[in-house]
Amino acid sequence: MANPLPTASQWKSLMLKYQIKDNGLVSALGRCEKLGVAEPAEMLKALETVLKCVAGLMKDKGVTSEKAASSFLDAVRISAEKARKEVSAMTKR
């Protein structure tokens, strides 16, 4: 993938700093880190999970009120959407 996702450890740091409860994003990001593009079908599933977790967190006013956390989640969303398009294109070949 040309545009790597932010890491699970980066999200963990923000969670601790702003006392945000994880909804599965840490494990979803970690899964994406481990999979890479070698397993496109599994990577697509992991990316879908990342996007669902981000969407859920962005509904939490406690999360969106913290600019750093909100910006990070926005970066994750953008990267995951781009990665999903890239991996989808690879599976259609």
Side-chain angles (χ1 to χ4, degrees):
M1 287 182 300
N3 190 17
L5 289 167
T7 65
S9 62
Q10 291 171 320
W11 176 237
K12 280 183 188 178
S13 296
L14 284 172
M15 283 176 25
L16 292 172
K17 183 175 183 177
Y18 297 110
Q19 300 175 354
I20 298 169
K21 185 178 177 188
D22 183 43
N23 68 347
L25 185 57
V26 171
S27 63
L29 287 172
R31 184 157 169 75
C32 287
E33 289 173 40
K34 290 179 185 174
L35 285 173
V37 293
E39 301 176 52
E42 291 299 314
M43 182 59 138
L44 282 173
K45 289 178 188 177
L47 289 168
E48 289 298 326
T49 303
V50 166
L51 290 168
K52 286 179 186 175
C53 291
V54 168
L57 287 164
M58 292 301 280
K59 292 178 184 176
D60 184 339
K61 291 184 193 237
V63 174
T64 56
S65 66
E66 298 297 342
K67 185 169 175 50
S70 183
S71 295
F72 180 85
L73 290 172
D74 222 21
V76 171
R77 182 186 54 78
I78 290 166
S79 295
E81 287 172 349
K82 286 180 182 178
R84 182 176 60 181
K85 286 178 187 175
E86 289 176 22
V87 174
S88 290
M90 290 172 48
T91 60
K92 293 179 182 178
R93 291 181 190 168

